[in-house]
Amino acid sequence: MTRCSDTENDDQCDDGAGKPSQKRSKGGKRVSFPPDEQIVSGFAEHGSSDRTADSCLTLMEVTVAYQQSCSKHQVQPRERILHQLQLRIRTTLAPSASPLLSERFEQHIHDYKRMPQVHDQPQVKAKAKARGQGPGSRPGVKARGQGPGSRPGVKARGQGPGGNSGDLPPLRQVRKRGSSHVSMAGGERLDHRSCEALEVVFKSLRFDFINLQAAQLEENGAQSLLDMILYYESAAHLHVSDSGGMGTSGWRALAHLIKQSVCLSRLDVCNMSMVGYPAHSLSRALLTSQLRVLQLHNVQLSGLPLYTLVGGLKTNKVLQELHLTNNLLNSHQDALHLGDLLSSNSCLQLLELSNNAVADDGLEELCDGLRRQTAGLNVLLLRNNQITAKGMVHLAKALPSLTVLQVLDLGENHVGNKGVQVIREPLMMNGSLLQLGLAHASITCEGAVALAEFLAESHQIQRLDIRQNHVRTGGLMALCLALRINRSLASLDLDHEAPQEQICVPPGASELQGAT
């Protein structure tokens, strides 16, 4: 029998003991969760949305915080922003409130303007230069980990009531949706640091309307500002027209705002180019957007951009109004895409295509889409689209079967008397149309007589607009006779002064009148 030495026994024991211990360590890892009622250990209430009697003090604190934020970011406070905050304070003050509150605000503004600004001091300029701060950099702000709802590149801050923002004094988290707006439109350039200084305003107040038209937004500033509006849900209506310098980052932030915001219901994007990435980003955002109204005026939509936009709108179930004026939409591909949109989308209620080139062939495509609708479009605006009497043939085929359309505007088109004659009987057969616009449509007395025949037979028409036409005495007399029969018309729009006409007196009429 062979016996091991003590040293060997120790080694064997260590080896034998080590193996089971490794197995136990692997098998001993377990993951457990607490009971459902203990998963959430606590939560923070959102700031109260009810304004108290001292709301004017809160607005003054917001003003002070904005001024301090401007000093921190080394920019001048915007006079327009200060003026609008001052107006809100004055309108918030009750008639019985102490006049000292307003005086305190005026005195504070006066003292602040006389106080030397931080960014004007030589020491601050030297320190900023040493740190390498320039346009687009964020002085003193650290990046943080990104999560749902987080603003990229912004240091984490307390979001509960009374939470601080950097070195700013605590503000009451009073966030009220009222009939208010803030405008930064016109002329003044909003760079990155100027936009960052506005965060304390968007953090503390909500607005019905934020106007950024022609604000000369740069790419970094646009991204920062739009991220703020999304993060704090600051606006119900946003106007970002005439902002050609937004760049890819700005459009990406705008698309993210459209996609994620639950408060934004109207967006105006006008007088900009949407060729390429802007159209793609907007189309993707509209797939899950909560927008109710989208206005795209003069954004170069014709062609591929419109095709991309329609792709995102076909399945959209929320958008109710789409305004596409002044986009050079043609009668071929563009009208075909719009007809497909009307065939697929039954939630859109208003479509405005004024000041385009839809023409007669394009109207045919639109009518094909309208015929497929059993619910949806109520208002179709086609002013100034080069439509003639030939296009009325396509409209005449669609009118009897339309059960949803209530408002049709064909003003500033060369419809003429012949076109009115073509749609006269189909209008009588239609049972949904309530308002018809034929202003500046090259109509004379002959067309007015045809419209009078339609009025005499219609039981639902409520408004007829025939201003800026050459309707004279004969046409007006026919309309007057029709109004004696019609019981539904509430408004007949005519020119204040009828066109001058020369009345020819037959020879011998004067003698006959004298003899009588």
Side-chain angles (χ1 to χ4, degrees), residues 238-465:
L238 179 62
H239 193 169
V240 292
S241 302
D242 301 282
S243 299
M246 287 176 53
T248 302
S249 299
W251 278 104
R252 185 184 298 113
L254 179 60
H256 191 58
L257 169 63
I258 297 170
K259 184 177 180 180
Q260 298 292 337
S261 177
V262 296
C263 294
L264 188 66
S265 61
R266 174 172 176 174
L267 176 66
D268 295 354
V269 181
C270 309
N271 303 323
M272 301 165 62
S273 175
M274 288 191 58
V275 178
Y277 180 78
H280 286 281
S281 60
L282 179 60
S283 177
R284 290 194 298 268
L286 289 172
L287 293 173
T288 57
S289 169
Q290 298 299 314
L291 284 178
R292 299 292 192 274
V293 181
L294 177 60
Q295 181 160 332
L296 302 175
H297 169 84
N298 190 25
V299 292
Q300 304 177 20
L301 271 182
S302 180
L304 184 59
L306 180 64
Y307 172 76
T308 306
L309 179 67
V310 168
L313 288 174
K314 284 183 178 180
T315 57
N316 186 290
K317 304 299 181 184
V318 180
L319 191 69
Q320 298 177 359
E321 297 185 16
L322 179 61
H323 302 264
L324 303 177
T325 57
N326 290 84
N327 281 294
L328 300 177
L329 302 181
N330 56 54
S331 59
H332 304 291
Q333 295 180 352
D334 296 337
L336 179 62
H337 299 328
L338 292 171
D340 291 341
L341 174 61
L342 295 178
S343 301
S344 306
N345 189 312
S346 60
C347 298
L348 194 65
Q349 297 181 6
L350 183 149
L351 179 60
E352 184 178 8
L353 301 174
S354 300
N355 301 324
N356 285 293
V358 172
D360 300 330
D361 295 336
L363 182 58
E364 181 180 8
E365 300 292 345
L366 295 178
C367 291
D368 289 342
L370 287 173
R371 277 199 293 264
R372 297 188 181 98
Q373 284 200 339
T374 57
L377 197 69
N378 297 324
V379 181
L380 179 60
L381 307 179
L382 294 171
R383 295 181 68 92
N384 188 22
N385 264 283
Q386 304 176 15
I387 299 174
T388 66
K390 295 181 180 179
M392 296 299 100
V393 176
H394 308 302
L395 182 61
K397 296 177 182 178
L399 277 173
S401 59
L402 298 184
T403 59
V404 179
L405 189 65
Q406 297 179 359
V407 180
L408 177 62
D409 190 357
L410 297 170
E412 300 182 33
N413 290 292
H414 191 66
V415 177
N417 298 328
K418 184 177 179 180
V420 175
Q421 291 284 357
V422 171
I423 62 174
R424 177 177 60 87
E425 291 188 5
L427 284 173
M428 298 178 186
M429 300 170 62
N430 178 274
S432 64
L433 197 64
L434 302 179
Q435 300 183 30
L436 178 61
L438 290 170
H440 202 337
S442 303
I443 299 174
T444 63
C445 292
E446 182 181 351
V449 172
L451 290 174
E453 295 174 357
F454 155 64
L455 289 178
E457 297 292 333
S458 176
H459 300 287
Q460 80 276 348
I461 188 69
Q462 297 178 2
R463 180 181 179 183
L464 177 62
D465 185 1

Side-chain angles (χ1 to χ4, degrees), residues 488-504:
S488 63
L489 192 70
S491 175
L492 176 61
D493 297 336
L494 299 168
D495 295 323
H496 292 291
E497 295 182 2
Q500 298 293 328
E501 60 179 331
Q502 183 178 0
I503 302 178
C504 298

Side-chain angles (χ1 to χ4, degrees), residues 50-62 88-89 91-94 101 172 174 176 205:
D50 297 327
R51 299 299 293 264
T52 56
D54 60 346
S55 60
C56 56
L57 298 178
T58 302
L59 289 173
M60 286 197 294
E61 290 176 2
V62 172
R88 289 201 65 184
I89 291 176
T91 55
T92 307
L93 287 172
L101 296 176
R172 297 186 187 92
V174 178
K176 178 182 179 182
L205 301 173

